[in-house]
Amino acid sequence: MSCEKLHSVDCATKRIKAVGAVILAGVLTLAAGCSATGGKQAKEAAGITGGGVDTPRYTVAMISHGAPGDTFWDLVRAGAEDAAKKNNLELRYSSNPQAPEQANLVQNAIDSHVDGIALTLPNADALGPVARKAAQDNITTVGLNAGMSDYSKYGISAFFGQDETVSGEAAGKRLAKEKARKVLCVIHEQGNSSQESRCAGVKKGLGSAGSMEILYVNGMDLTSVESTVEAKLAQDKSVDWIMGLQAPVAMTAQKAADAAGSQAKVATFDTDSALVNAIQQGKIAFAIDQQPYLQGYMAIDALWLAKRNGSMPGGGQPVYTGPSFIDQSNVDTIADAAQAGLR
């Protein structure tokens, strides 16, 4: 019998039931879709896409001793920014190559009540006390890049980087195999203990195979670096290898060697895209890589883990990110990543 021939109340009841069945079917279809994607649609509808987590939005600071224009620190920062994005963190990055100013930046982070701090310790005497203050204020603090031998003295929870003496010694042994006779180790930041440790390691690794001399330059003025290295090479023809401690200085030293008519070969610590290209072209012999992107990434990731569930990598020991050698035999494996600003 048609609805029109039924009592009006019965007709209305049938219509309500029909509409309800349609709505129920739609709800079940939507639920099935959410279940199949692990709840992704529901999170997107709520705006919880962030960097891949739905944990609270924390604020962390990274304070380095990076100098303006030093491409190494661009890689560290890129890693830190990627970790912050993934973990739904607000990252406040700052740097200053002068230890007292870097210490002031750390104090500013403490005063702004950040949830975590990652910092470098190129001068532990100047930066250690303020790092200890952060830890005493219950701000999770981790170290990276510089200060591996000192970080645990100041309440710093973890460290990500390489042992500079070990990496320097590895470089020295490599130079000995290359039959280096006189190595010029170029320090571009006076007072930076990490750089002093690198050169000391080079000397130890070189052993009796050859000699090593330190040349101090101003890494923030590459024009001055070039003229200083060129003058040294013109004056001392016995130098057959130059060991740079960062990519731009090494590239500048290579130009200085050409200008001085020197046959000295150039190697370096650390890389950037220009240096990777120079290795491919044979202009730079090799580089010791400590993976700066990884240092930045792991330091910020560790701060999030500490807030997330109280965990901390390393078990009280430093987490090594290097050293490894990059030369013409393996440079192509990282070339694309280098061009993308990731190595």
Side-chain angles (χ1 to χ4, degrees), residues 14 26 28 37 94-95 104 167 188 201 211 213 264 304-305 328-329:
K14 272 193 172 186
L28 290 173
T37 58
S94 59
S95 66
N104 288 336
S167 62
H188 59 276
S211 63
E213 180 180 341
W304 177 77
L305 286 168
Q328 284 193 319
S329 71

Side-chain angles (χ1 to χ4, degrees), residues 184-204:
L184 194 65
C185 195
V186 183
I187 291 181
H188 59 276
E189 291 176 3
Q190 291 195 45
N192 185 323
S193 60
S194 294
Q195 294 186 20
E196 298 284 352
S197 294
R198 285 181 177 181
C199 288
V202 169
K203 184 175 182 178
K204 181 178 179 182

Side-chain angles (χ1 to χ4, degrees), residues 13-24:
T13 301
K14 272 193 172 186
R15 285 174 176 161
I16 291 170
K17 287 180 178 179
V19 171
V22 172
I23 293 172
L24 178 59

